[in-house]
Amino acid sequence: MANRYWVVSLPVQGSASSLWNRLQEQISKHSFDTPLYRFNIPSLRVGTLDSLLSLSDDLVKSNNFVEGVSHKIRRQIEELERVSGGESSSLTVDGVPVDSYLTRFVWDEAKYPTMSPLREIVDGIHSQVAKIEDDLKVRVGEYNNVRSQLNAINRKQAGSLAVRDLSNLVKPEDIVSSEHLVTLLAVVPKYSQKDWLASYETLTNYVVPRSSKNLYEDNEYALYTVTLFNRVADNFKTSAREKGFQIREFEYSPEAQEGRKQELEKLVQDQEGLRSSLLQWCYTSYGEVFSSWMHFCAVRIFSESILRYGLPPSFLSFVLAPSLKGEKKVRHILEGLCDSTNSTYWKAEDEVGAMAGLGGEADTHPYVSFTINLI
């Protein structure tokens, strides 16, 4: 599967089939590794020259918008699959791989009636894709909100002892709580543990001797208990802070701990449910946007060909995927298949930089050409 395609139209002087055969012959002879496919466009409603000129002004901007939304959805799919440790499935349009949909494009008459004005078709595509983009923002926002809540809880459980949640480190037997006694939790720098053990009993009066117990250690800190009389708790906290020991506010509550556990489990379930739902929606919506994009490209190649070659419509449209090193050779082939005077005129204008290509393409050629980037 190529990631980059050219959509091109050439003016037809004799018959389209004869030009197609010549094109195939030239590509096969001089650039055999370039995939080449017909891009079949129905007879669309031309309208007036003014309407075509007005439409041409908006085509590039609208194309960039539709292409941008398709890339947003594709990147979202890749991120969601990466989070779950999976690999992205093939992107499809109604079960057809996107590269096959592009290279075997068939206009959807039911969705985009060919008798509709071109402006109506383009505006309809833009509105549909804009609605999908808005829906994407809402769905991603819901998913990211739950994900942020879950990450915040995980950070509390995985951070240092100075900030993390302590409820899963403290057991009921570690806490003494009565009318007169209270157990405090001290976060002690690991390099100060000897200082703590030597001094905690004297930081204030009425500290229970040998009551301090090491509950847990991380890379920076150790968590100790200390039991003392309620009435001196504030004095102890002040003295501990002065010596560089942090007293963490903590109240053991089995109910609160169970509540936090249930909240975490619910968030995990919600995140997975939203991830799965969003991923499924992204795969479906990518197909819708890509189909709309290809119909838009058909309108674009049709309108730009009318403006370039005139009426009645007489052009051959096709898709090809040259390699980077073969691009120059393919451009030469395409130019050679155009009317010679037409090619000379455009080449001369291009050399002096006086002509901007129709549709806003950076390169100027004597034929209609623009690029589709699938990624």
Side-chain angles (χ1 to χ4, degrees):
M1 169 180 171
N3 295 322
R4 187 167 172 271
Y5 292 85
W6 292 350
V7 183
V8 178
S9 79
L10 294 176
V12 174
Q13 304 299 327
S15 70
S17 59
S18 173
L19 179 59
W20 175 246
N21 290 336
R22 287 164 56 205
L23 173 63
Q24 286 182 307
E25 179 183 342
Q26 290 293 312
I27 292 293
S28 176
K29 184 176 180 181
H30 300 291
S31 186
F32 65 89
D33 61 341
T34 298
L36 175 66
Y37 312 91
R38 287 289 292 266
F39 192 69
N40 294 308
I41 303 174
S43 297
L44 299 173
R45 185 173 169 181
V46 176
T48 66
L49 178 61
D50 285 345
S51 67
L52 279 179
L53 287 170
S54 173
L55 183 66
S56 179
D57 291 338
D58 297 332
L59 283 174
V60 174
K61 184 167 64 176
S62 294
N63 179 78
N64 291 341
F65 169 71
V66 177
E67 180 180 357
V69 173
S70 77
H71 292 337
K72 280 184 188 176
I73 298 175
R74 177 185 52 78
R75 287 192 296 268
Q76 189 64 55
I77 289 172
E78 292 171 352
E79 179 185 338
L80 293 170
E81 293 285 21
R82 186 168 58 249
V83 167
S84 65
E87 292 185 2
S88 299
S89 302
S90 297
L91 298 172
T92 64
V93 179
D94 295 329
V96 179
V98 292
D99 57 327
S100 297
Y101 185 87
L102 165 60
T103 56
R104 296 171 177 80
F105 175 74
V106 177
W107 184 272
D108 188 341
E109 174 68 24
K111 196 171 184 179
Y112 306 103
T114 52
M115 288 307 296
S116 299
L118 296 181
R119 168 64 70 179
E120 183 178 310
I121 294 175
V122 169
D123 288 348
I125 290 173
H126 195 285
S127 297
Q128 178 194 5
V129 174
K131 184 176 182 302
I132 290 176
E133 184 188 36
D134 290 341
D135 202 2
L136 174 67
K137 291 177 182 177
V138 172
R139 290 172 179 268
V140 170
E142 292 175 349
Y143 170 71
N144 285 339
N145 181 46
V146 171
R147 193 177 176 190
S148 296
Q149 294 180 54
L150 191 57
N151 287 340
I153 292 176
N154 288 333
R155 279 196 300 271
K156 285 183 178 180
Q157 292 185 337
S160 76
L161 286 169
V163 296
R164 67 170 291 175
D165 178 28
L166 303 178
S167 58
N168 60 337
L169 303 179
V170 182
K171 299 180 177 61
E173 57 267 25
D174 297 326
I175 301 296
V176 175
S177 182
S178 66
E179 183 180 352
H180 299 292
L181 294 175
V182 64
T183 297
L184 302 180
L185 296 178
V187 176
V188 179
K190 293 184 78 171
Y191 61 81
S192 299
Q193 290 184 84
K194 289 183 178 179
D195 187 21
W196 164 261
L197 293 171
S199 64
Y200 78 89
E201 294 179 4
T202 61
L203 291 179
T204 188
N205 296 326
Y206 305 110
V207 177
V208 177
R210 296 185 295 280
S211 63
S212 186
K213 182 171 65 172
N214 185 319
L215 299 185
Y216 183 81
E217 293 184 13
D218 62 19
N219 292 332
E220 299 178 78
Y221 299 100
L223 181 65
Y224 282 89
T225 61
V226 58
T227 303
L228 57 151
F229 277 71
N230 253 321
R231 58 181 177 172
V232 298
D234 289 339
N235 291 338
F236 185 90
K237 292 176 184 178
T238 301
S239 299
R241 278 197 298 271
E242 291 173 354
K243 289 186 68 65
F245 308 133
Q246 178 187 355
I247 304 301
R248 291 287 306 272
E249 296 296 331
F250 180 81
E251 181 179 350
Y252 185 81
S253 169
E255 295 80 10
Q257 190 170 354
E258 181 62 27
R260 284 190 290 269
K261 180 182 177 183
Q262 292 178 359
E263 179 189 10
L264 178 61
E265 291 174 350
K266 183 178 184 304
L267 283 172
V268 169
Q269 292 175 354
D270 289 348
Q271 177 184 249
E272 180 53 32
L274 287 171
R275 190 200 69 82
S276 178
S277 173
L278 176 58
L279 183 60
Q280 183 178 5
W281 179 89
C282 282
Y283 274 117
T284 302
S285 296
Y286 183 89
E288 293 178 14
V289 171
F290 191 85
S291 173
S292 299
W293 185 17
M294 294 306 101
H295 283 80
F296 181 91
C297 289
V299 172
R300 183 179 177 187
I301 200 78
F302 178 83
S303 61
E304 292 187 7
S305 295
I306 298 297
L307 290 173
R308 179 68 65 86
Y309 310 132
L311 289 170
S314 182
F315 59 88
L316 174 72
S317 55
F318 50 93
V319 174
L320 66 168
S323 62
L324 286 175
K325 65 180 181 179
E327 286 187 2
K328 188 174 181 180
K329 187 182 297 182
V330 173
R331 289 291 185 199
H332 181 72
I333 293 172
L334 297 176
E335 186 172 318
L337 291 172
C338 289
D339 178 77
S340 58
T341 56
N342 192 27
S343 296
T344 304
Y345 168 77
W346 279 87
K347 186 174 182 182
E349 293 287 356
D350 183 41
E351 286 173 352
V352 298
M355 182 69 73
L358 281 174
E361 288 286 320
D363 297 324
T364 304
H365 309 288
Y367 50 85
V368 177
S369 171
F370 57 86
T371 302
I372 293 178
N373 296 298
L374 298 188
I375 61 172

